[in-house]
Amino acid sequence: MDIPKFLCYVLVMAGVTYLIRMLPLAIFQKKIESRFVKSFLFYVPYAVLGAMTFPAILSSTSSVWSAIAGLAVAVALAMKEKGLLTVAMSACGTVFVAELILRFCLGQ
């Protein structure tokens, strides 16, 4: 790839990134009073994070069953308000053990 084309790509992406971050500040200059809009904006990051993360969880292991087991452990621990490190390590450990069990059961 030649350098001018690469620099053009970088500049376009920098401009797009800047616009995404700058437009809300330019559009919403006064304080938002609507309770509905405030609650909507409060939950948007969680919804976007879930929409980006959930499909990756189910396709990141060699078996969907180990992914579901890890997800179930992570959700259960998160519901009990455990820390991020505890949830992540427990989910990873669950996936590891589930993969070992599946390999043993399937004889691979």
Side-chain angles (χ1 to χ4, degrees):
M1 177 182 288
D2 55 11
I3 300 297
K5 191 182 258 188
F6 177 75
L7 289 176
C8 181
Y9 293 154
V10 169
L11 289 174
V12 167
M13 287 309 299
V16 169
T17 303
Y18 178 74
L19 280 175
I20 290 171
R21 295 170 191 274
M22 184 267 312
L23 280 177
L25 294 175
I27 293 172
F28 302 111
Q29 292 182 354
K30 61 181 181 178
K31 186 175 179 180
I32 298 173
E33 300 292 333
S34 169
R35 288 180 52 201
F36 175 76
V37 173
K38 280 184 179 181
S39 67
F40 174 77
L41 292 175
F42 178 79
Y43 288 109
V44 165
Y46 300 110
V48 170
L49 182 62
M52 291 181 348
T53 305
F54 189 71
I57 290 171
L58 296 179
S59 64
S60 63
T61 64
S62 63
S63 169
V64 71
W65 298 110
S66 62
I68 291 172
L71 177 64
V73 167
V75 168
L77 291 175
M79 295 294 282
K80 291 185 177 192
E81 298 183 1
K82 299 296 180 185
L84 178 61
L85 186 61
T86 303
V87 171
M89 295 299 289
S90 300
C92 290
T94 302
V95 169
F96 181 73
V97 171
E99 290 284 330
L100 288 176
I101 292 171
L102 287 171
R103 283 194 187 140
F104 179 74
C105 291
L106 297 175
Q108 294 177 347

